[in-house]
Amino acid sequence: MIRTATPADVPHIHRMVRDLAEYEKALDEARATPDQLHEALFGDRPAAFAHIAETDTGEIAGFALWFLNFSTWRGVHGIYLEDLYVRPDLRGGGHGKALLTELARICVERGYERLEWSVLNWNKPSIDFYESLGARPQDEWTVYRLTDGALKTLGSA
């Protein structure tokens, strides 16, 4: 049901990234191209990794795209889950849980001590799902982000 993504999966991943962005009401912000995804996942220096969830008939049901982070407090890597997406018509079939289970397995196998991700505050179905697995919000932290003009301004100072 869960397998490591291959270069042939990039067009499917790209489509699902766009579907996720649309669901999150931010399609205009999803500017990544298939070529960029291919380079990030399969280029000379891959910076991201992906797993694919398939149905019993081999149909792509969803994906998880992740990268390594590092905890200076714990002294080891962890996984940051950038995107988790299961097609709406295939939700409830265990694909999302299977993807998260695989990432947790990788953490345990490699000695990583954290599996982290962000979820939009309004996304109650996802929050309920994550909490049903034992995940807890880290509400003492606020995420900050520099992009576009603010990033260019600071980076050019």
Side-chain angles (χ1 to χ4, degrees):
M1 178 186 276
I2 305 301
R3 63 174 175 78
T4 302
T6 68
D9 293 316
V10 169
H12 303 288
I13 293 170
H14 183 258
R15 177 72 253 155
M16 290 185 286
V17 166
R18 307 247 336 136
D19 290 345
L20 176 60
E22 185 172 24
Y23 172 75
E24 293 183 347
K25 302 171 180 70
L27 184 57
D28 59 320
E29 296 178 39
R31 297 180 282 210
T33 66
D35 287 342
Q36 288 172 313
L37 288 174
H38 186 276
E39 182 63 25
L41 294 166
F42 305 106
D44 291 337
R45 296 178 64 200
F49 309 91
H51 284 80
I52 299 293
E54 290 183 332
T55 66
D56 292 338
T57 61
E59 181 180 7
I60 294 177
F63 79 104
L65 194 144
W66 57 278
F67 54 89
L68 295 179
N69 59 16
F70 184 80
S71 170
T72 56
W73 289 14
R74 297 205 175 199
V76 297
H77 283 292
I79 286 178
Y80 186 84
L81 174 61
E82 179 66 20
D83 284 333
L84 175 71
Y85 181 78
V86 175
R87 291 181 20 214
D89 58 316
L90 296 172
R91 290 182 186 153
H95 304 292
K97 183 177 181 180
L99 285 162
L100 284 171
T101 298
E102 176 62 10
L103 297 186
R105 185 196 64 73
I106 291 168
C107 285
V108 170
E109 177 183 277
R110 297 181 187 178
Y112 302 162
E113 295 190 14
R114 292 182 179 166
L115 172 55
E116 298 179 315
W117 61 92
S118 298
V119 61
L120 291 166
N121 292 334
W122 58 260
N123 193 345
K124 181 112 171 77
S126 292
I127 291 168
D128 291 346
F129 167 65
Y130 298 142
E131 289 184 355
S132 77
L133 299 176
R136 295 294 171 250
Q138 301 298 296
D139 55 11
E140 67 271 14
W141 296 90
T142 300
V143 175
Y144 281 84
R145 180 178 294 161
L146 281 171
T147 62
D148 304 323
L151 178 63
K152 289 177 185 171
T153 298
L154 185 60
S156 300

